[in-house]
Amino acid sequence: MPNIKSAKKRVIVNEGKRIKQHAFKSEMRSTVKEFNKKADNNDVEGAKELLQLATKKVDKAADKKMIHKNTAARTKAKMQQRFNKIAQ
């Protein structure tokens, strides 16, 4: 445990950020999983809506540096390919 006042504050602030980031990343992953379920069931309309939502969340996570930009690009590309297969 830190002794200096500013170090104590950093511990509190960092813990708050960690909790928020964890919640956002969890929500992002859940959205991607929901999209994959819709894609498995060949639900084109549902998958289209979730593709847009998941893409938005993945981009936001990459902008906030919660995930690497290449990871975001790879995730979006996989989802788009999957959507294109069921949309045909």
Side-chain angles (χ1 to χ4, degrees):
M1 200 62 205
N3 294 323
I4 299 169
K5 186 177 180 182
S6 61
K8 290 178 185 177
K9 182 177 178 183
R10 291 305 320 156
V11 169
I12 293 168
V13 170
N14 287 340
E15 180 63 16
K17 284 179 71 173
R18 186 189 70 81
I19 290 169
K20 286 179 186 173
Q21 288 179 350
H22 180 76
F24 187 86
K25 279 178 83 169
S26 176
E27 190 177 334
M28 178 194 69
R29 288 187 194 118
S30 295
T31 308
V32 171
K33 286 178 186 177
E34 285 178 40
F35 166 78
N36 287 332
K37 285 181 185 176
K38 295 282 184 181
D40 286 342
N41 295 331
N42 292 324
D43 180 9
V44 178
E45 288 302 315
K48 185 175 183 178
E49 289 176 19
L50 283 171
L51 175 64
Q52 291 172 346
L53 183 62
T55 301
K56 184 178 177 182
K57 289 187 182 198
V58 168
D59 281 337
K60 199 168 188 179
D63 288 344
K64 292 183 177 185
K65 295 186 170 71
M66 290 182 205
I67 60 173
H68 194 273
K69 63 180 183 175
N70 292 353
T71 304
R74 185 176 62 244
T75 304
K76 292 189 313 185
K78 280 183 180 179
M79 287 191 302
Q80 189 63 54
Q81 283 179 340
R82 212 155 170 200
F83 177 75
N84 289 344
K85 276 187 180 178
I86 65 167
Q88 290 176 348

